[in-house]
Every structure is written in structure tokens, then in C-alpha cells.
Amino acid sequence: MTDDLALDPSLDDAALAGALVRNAGGLALRMRREGLSAERKTSVSDIVTAADKAAEAYVVEQLRVCRPQDGVFGEEGASVPSTSGRTWVIDPVDGTYNFFSGSRYWCSAIALRGEANPSEPDPDVQLGAIFQPQEDKLWVGGHSAPATLNGEPLEGPTNARLGLLGAATSIQPKWLAQPLSAMPWHNAAVKAASIRILGSGSCDLARVSEGEIGAWFQHSCPQWDWLPGKAIVRAAGGTTGTVEVNGLTWFAAGGETAVGEILEALSEVHFG
């Protein structure tokens, strides 16, 4: 199924990242159209499908050929040690619950980072790419790659106060039942002009990078949910930041003013 998706090792990192997510996302979409079942991971909304696994396997195989010295760290278990000091962080299908439910709001995402512990919440990231197949939208950006959407430059997030912006976020029902997480989240959420919970953090962050969504915040993001979007938002001139509150690490992205307000609001509700 993937023989016709082999990539040229001579591609530069940004072009390679874009091709990887475009092909992985397209593969997942084709498999969804053919019919899929899902397995539960940690909850009814945290699932994995054969498409997630096949898309990740495709990316791993292409990186083995195109960047054999680089490491790989994937959501669905891919783990390849790096001998180059560089590691590709893969989210083959971000928004799997949306994907399996038939929604268009899901994507394939990848980031390139340097040496870092997989449990480190916010390492430096060199490059990110996000592809939303059913919208045919490809965002790419990083340290040496300008932030673009389908090759066109992004203007970046608006540097406005949070109260003038819509904010995308995510918090699961079990965390809303816990004051240690629910109260900081509520304190930040009520300061935004409006709230959106759309189901794919990377799709949200991509839209922050172009100003369609004003700001974004969420807690406990693994690297594959954070680094692709972080790279693109920062390449577009936006700001990202983290703060630890009540034992949880919170992540925020947007314009400098809004990110500062989000992190401050989260920090105001601290127990102990």
C-alpha cells in the first residue's frame, strides 16, 4: 500500500516533514474510507485504530531510509535511538476520536527536536509539520523554515488581550471533576472572549499560527501533541510557554500578551 509513497532522501528537512505528514494523513484517510475498528487505550475517547498504526509505520520506514542516523519517538510506540542527536516526534493521527467518528478535524503531525528525554515536557524544537487531509492544509515551520500554509507565508497570531480573542482548549471530563485541574482551567477559560474545544491540539495550534484561533491552552501534553504546533507557532512570530500548577504542566500558545495572561490566570489557582 505504501510502495508508491517512497520519499527521496535528498529532500531537505522541511520538505521531508511536509511529505511525511501529507502521505501519512492520506494513508489514514484511505484506510478510514475502507472501514476501521478501534481499540480503547486509557478511556472511551482515547482510542487507536489500524490507520494510526499504519501511518506511524510508514513514517518510521521512510525515516529509516531518508534519515537513518536520526531517532524516532512515536505516539503509537515507535522508538528508534538517535546517533545524530536529532529525533523525529510522530503523531500519525492527532484527533483519533474525531477521525474515527467521521469528523474532518484531525491531522497528521511531526516534529524534529534535538536531544531530550521523552518525558521532558517542553524541549526545544527545530521544525514542525501538520497536515489536515480533508482540508488539504499543510502547515510547516521551524528555526530555519518560515511558517507557511500550503507554501504561503503566515502572518502569525494577533498580539491582543485574551479578552478579545477566541481560545481553543481541551480538558477531559475526568479532569473537570478534579479541582486541582478544573479550577485553574476555569480561571483561564473565563478570561477569553470565547472558548472552542475542537478535539485536535495540533489542528488548533496550526490555526493559532495563522490567527484563525486567537490562543490555545491545555495541560499534560506529550511531545507529539505539542512540539509540531509549537514549532510552527513560534516560526510565525507567536509565543509559547508552560507553567506547572498543582502538579500539572500547562501549555499555552498565541500572541505574547494572551499567552502571558493565560499562564498568569492558571498560576493564580494554586493549592498547597
Side-chain angles (χ1 to χ4, degrees):
M1 181 180 289
T2 60
D3 290 347
D4 60 337
L5 301 180
L7 298 176
D8 185 347
S10 69
L11 291 171
D12 64 32
D13 288 336
L16 177 62
L20 286 169
V21 293
R22 182 178 287 278
N23 289 349
L27 172 62
L29 180 58
R30 289 196 299 275
M31 292 183 68
R32 186 177 80 172
R33 288 170 173 164
E34 293 167 1
L36 288 170
S37 60
E39 302 170 18
R40 183 184 299 187
K41 293 200 287 188
T42 63
S43 70
V44 68
S45 63
D46 182 18
I47 60 177
V48 62
T49 72
D52 297 73
K53 296 176 181 178
E56 182 164 292
Y58 163 75
V59 174
V60 172
E61 174 60 21
Q62 294 306 306
L63 288 172
R64 184 189 67 80
V65 174
C66 295
R67 298 292 189 273
Q69 306 305 316
D70 291 354
V72 178
F73 178 45
E75 180 180 12
E76 305 310 332
S79 180
V80 177
S82 171
T83 59
S84 66
R86 308 182 343 149
T87 293
W88 297 84
V89 181
I90 308 168
D91 195 346
V93 176
D94 181 62
T96 301
Y97 192 70
N98 284 356
F99 170 77
F100 188 66
S101 301
S103 168
R104 302 168 68 92
Y105 203 78
W106 61 276
C107 65
S108 182
I110 196 167
L112 176 62
R113 64 161 169 80
E115 294 184 9
N117 189 303
S119 64
E120 184 177 341
D122 190 28
D124 186 39
V125 58
Q126 300 170 24
L127 176 69
I130 296 168
F131 180 61
Q132 192 174 347
Q134 290 177 273
E135 301 292 336
D136 192 29
K137 290 184 175 181
L138 173 64
W139 295 266
V140 179
H143 286 338
S144 58
T148 59
L149 168 57
N150 292 345
E152 297 297 321
L154 296 178
E155 294 186 5
T158 301
N159 190 26
R161 293 190 58 204
L162 182 60
L164 299 175
L165 300 172
T169 184
S170 180
I171 187 167
Q172 296 298 320
K174 68 177 182 179
W175 292 107
L176 280 174
Q178 298 291 332
L180 293 179
S181 51
M183 291 181 68
W185 179 86
H186 181 270
N187 199 45
V190 298
K191 292 177 170 57
S194 64
I195 288 293
R196 302 287 184 267
I197 299 180
L198 300 169
S200 168
S202 286
C203 286
D204 293 344
L205 285 163
R207 283 166 170 77
V208 170
S209 74
E210 60 176 297
E212 181 180 332
I213 291 174
W216 175 92
F217 67 100
Q218 185 177 327
H219 73 76
S220 305
C221 294
Q223 290 182 11
W224 49 75
D225 282 341
W226 172 237
L227 295 183
K230 173 188 174 180
I232 299 168
V233 168
R234 294 184 69 87
T239 298
T240 65
T242 64
V243 64
E244 186 168 329
V245 181
N246 304 326
L248 296 173
T249 301
W250 292 83
F251 301 75
E256 182 178 2
T257 299
V259 169
E261 290 183 82
I262 290 168
L263 297 178
E264 181 179 3
L266 292 166
S267 299
E268 287 172 350
V269 188
H270 192 86
F271 297 92

